[in-house]
């Protein structure tokens, strides 16, 4: 859903390259770039998972912030199945949120 920021990927690839190749110089080979991309993607899958079904939205705790499928609107879960966007303060039912959505933040449970 969300592509990796090229600047972040480049910085991660350089860090991986310095670690793998034991070099203080900038290094960004294809193998290091793939390794960095895999690591970042795995990290995001855990920290910012994609919710594809309504049941997934129902399981998220109150205070969770998501980004809808169009990536132009974020919502915060309030009491029950209600979600509030920064633009529409009246709130939506979870069935009205455009899926799939990426979880941006969850409160500690």
């Amino acid at each position: 859903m969300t592509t990796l920021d090229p600047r972040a990927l480049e910085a991660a690839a350089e860090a991986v390259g310095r670690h793998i190749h034991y070099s203080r110089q900038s290094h960004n080979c294809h193998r290091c770039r793939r390794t960095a991309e895999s690591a970042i993607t795995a990290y995001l899958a855990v920290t910012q998972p994609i919710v594809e079904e309504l049941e997934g939205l129902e399981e998220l705790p109150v205070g969770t912030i998501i980004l809808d499928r169009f990536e132009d609107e974020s919502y915060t879960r309030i009491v029950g199945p209600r979600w509030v966007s920064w633009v529409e303060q009246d709130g939506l039912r979870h069935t009205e949120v455009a899926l799939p959505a990426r979880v941006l933040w969850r409160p500690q449970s």
Side-chain angles (χ1 to χ4, degrees):
M1 186 168 136
T2 301
T3 58
L4 299 179
D5 182 325
R7 295 167 300 160
L9 183 55
E10 181 179 329
E14 283 189 28
V16 168
R18 284 191 304 269
H19 180 73
I20 289 175
H21 300 288
Y22 303 105
S23 171
R24 292 196 181 275
Q25 295 180 336
S26 178
H27 186 84
N28 195 347
C29 70
H30 184 68
R31 184 172 136 217
C32 294
R33 189 173 183 82
R34 278 196 336 247
T35 301
E37 186 170 10
S38 294
I40 293 169
T41 300
Y43 173 82
L44 289 175
V46 172
T47 61
Q48 296 185 342
I50 295 175
V51 177
E52 298 195 29
E53 298 180 7
L54 292 176
E55 294 77 27
L57 285 179
E58 293 169 358
E59 294 170 4
L60 295 171
V62 170
T64 298
I65 299 173
I66 61 170
L67 188 64
D68 76 1
R69 103 174 193 205
F70 302 111
E71 298 185 9
D72 61 354
E73 189 67 61
S74 61
Y75 298 92
T76 304
R77 182 168 187 176
I78 57 175
V79 179
R82 305 289 293 174
W83 291 83
V84 173
S85 76
W86 301 110
V87 176
E88 183 61 51
Q89 294 298 315
D90 291 338
L92 300 171
R93 300 222 16 110
H94 66 284
T95 54
E96 299 172 296
V97 175
L99 295 177
R102 179 175 295 281
V103 175
L104 299 179
W105 186 83
R106 281 180 285 203
Q108 295 295 333
S109 34

